């Protein structure tokens, strides 16, 4: 997969994808380049998220899914993990306050039970109080792993079989999709990974079967609105065949 280098003059003229997913990568390197602690990089990354989420809304993107904390990120230092959790907590408190003004629906993909009880409560509250909004949806992947999500769905289906509710051979892709965190949400047409890395890193493994990946040479804290325009323009240049000729 070739890394995509944006052209400065490029602007997304065509309608944006309905669903964009982003791996917010490069916060640590951004901080290191400035001699700052990694948590400062995540703080800058959280600011970029705010800007880009607003911009997605302006463009008319209906679903934005971001990788905020993976099932593997627990390997990081306690300090770094606490820093990320604090940023999430602050963001959710702010989002809850602005709920009536912004009308953004929030969803969380991942096993929240490993988070602190107060953060779990904030997630539940954000999900519940925003469930009446249907214009724009932000999905936070938190303690999320694509393999973990698929295993959980398989377990849920096996439990249905064991209970005599259905037979194994009756399972369809659609039914399996409905057992995932993303049930009812269209697959992302476009997945953006900044920072120069070219991996999926256990992100939306099922949902990305036919997503267009755009890899960009910019660290997430430096990611700007014109980078998103460039990624959308690149998406429109792709010839999506979905396995057809
Ligand atoms: C990956 O970059 C980033 C993360 C694991 C954390 C992302 C979290 C945030 C941006 C803050 C979350 C809060 C809100 C409000 C969205 P990295 O640390 O792996 O970067 P590196 O590869 O350069 O070390």
């Amino acid at each position: 997969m070739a890394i995509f280098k944006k052209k400065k003059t490029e602007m997304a003229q065509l309608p944006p994808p309905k669903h964009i997913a982003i791996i917010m990568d490069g916060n640590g390197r951004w901080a290191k380049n400035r001699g700052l602690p990694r948590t400062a990089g995540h703080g800058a990354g959280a600011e970029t998220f705010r800007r880009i989420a607003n911009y997605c809304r302006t463009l008319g993107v209906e679903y934005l899914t971001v990788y905020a904390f993976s099932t593997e990120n627990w390997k990081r230092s306690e300090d770094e993990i606490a820093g990320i959790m604090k940023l999430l907590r602050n963001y959710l408190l702010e989002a809850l306050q602005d709920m009536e003004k912004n009308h953004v629906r929030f969803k969380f993909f991942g096993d929240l039970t490993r988070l602190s009880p107060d953060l779990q409560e904030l997630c539940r509250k954000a999900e519940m109080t925003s469930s009446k909004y249907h214009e724009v949806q932000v999905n936070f992947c938190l303690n999320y792993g694509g393999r973990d999500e698929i295993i959980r769905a398989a377990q849920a289906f096996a439990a249905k079989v064991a209970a005599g509710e259905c037979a194994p051979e009756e399972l369809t892709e659609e039914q399996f999709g409905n057992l995932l965190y993303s049930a009812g949400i269209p697959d992302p047409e476009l997945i953006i990974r900044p920072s120069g890395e070219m991996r999926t890193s256990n992100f939306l493994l099922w949902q990305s079967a036919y997503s267009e990946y755009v890899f960009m040479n910019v660290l997430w804290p430096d990611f700007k609105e014109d980078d998103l325009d460039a990624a959308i323009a690149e998406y429109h240049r792709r010839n999506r065949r979905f396995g057809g000729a």
Side-chain angles (χ1 to χ4, degrees), residues 23-32 38 41-50 66-70 73 76 80 83-92 140 142 193 195 197 199 219-221:
I23 300 177
M24 303 184 289
D25 195 17
N27 299 342
R29 276 163 283 169
W30 183 92
K32 192 173 175 204
R38 294 180 62 83
H42 296 311
E47 283 311 311
T48 300
F49 163 76
R50 284 179 172 85
V66 289
Y67 211 2
F69 197 86
S70 77
N73 287 151
R76 299 187 177 207
E80 184 172 349
I84 295 174
M85 298 302 163
K86 188 172 170 192
L87 289 164
L88 285 162
R89 190 176 291 112
N90 290 345
Y91 177 77
L92 291 176
F140 277 106
L142 253 185
R193 181 165 193 161
S195 95
E197 304 292 353
R199 287 187 290 279
L219 302 174
W220 175 245

Side-chain angles (χ1 to χ4, degrees), residues 164-229:
E165 289 171 29
C166 47
E169 61 277 11
E170 282 167 19
L171 183 63
T172 63
E173 289 186 9
E174 194 189 342
Q175 283 165 350
F176 194 72
N178 284 331
L179 297 170
L180 300 171
Y181 296 121
S182 55
I185 299 169
D187 291 340
E189 297 99 316
L190 168 64
I191 301 183
I192 302 170
R193 181 165 193 161
S195 95
E197 304 292 353
M198 289 188 278
R199 287 187 290 279
T200 63
S201 296
N202 207 7
F203 187 47
L204 303 178
L205 296 183
W206 176 275
Q207 300 85 345
S208 63
Y210 280 99
S211 302
E212 295 298 329
Y213 255 95
V214 173
F215 297 105
M216 304 181 84
N217 261 327
V218 54
L219 302 174
W220 175 245
D222 290 328
F223 193 94
K224 298 286 185 305
E225 286 78 349
D226 74 329
D227 292 304
L228 188 70
D229 287 339

Side-chain angles (χ1 to χ4, degrees), residues 92-167:
L92 291 176
L93 284 168
E94 186 186 297
L96 278 163
Q97 263 192 348
D98 294 346
M99 194 78 73
E100 295 294 320
K101 191 174 78 194
N102 291 341
H103 290 203
V104 174
R105 184 171 189 175
F106 291 98
K107 278 262 180 203
F108 298 86
F109 294 2
D111 174 16
L112 302 186
T113 62
R114 201 167 161 190
L115 307 181
S116 67
D118 71 309
L119 190 51
Q120 286 184 47
E121 181 54 25
L122 278 177
C123 294
R124 258 195 303 272
K125 225 168 157 181
E127 212 164 71
M128 263 176 49
T129 51
S130 69
S131 62
K132 55 182 184 268
Y133 303 125
H134 300 282
E135 299 151 45
V136 191
Q137 181 166 325
V138 172
N139 306 310
F140 277 106
C141 296
L142 253 185
N143 190 22
Y144 171 88
R147 287 183 173 181
D148 182 66
E149 178 182 33
I150 290 168
I151 292 282
R152 282 165 194 275
Q155 286 168 341
F157 181 69
K160 281 176 191 273
V161 172
E165 289 171 29
C166 47

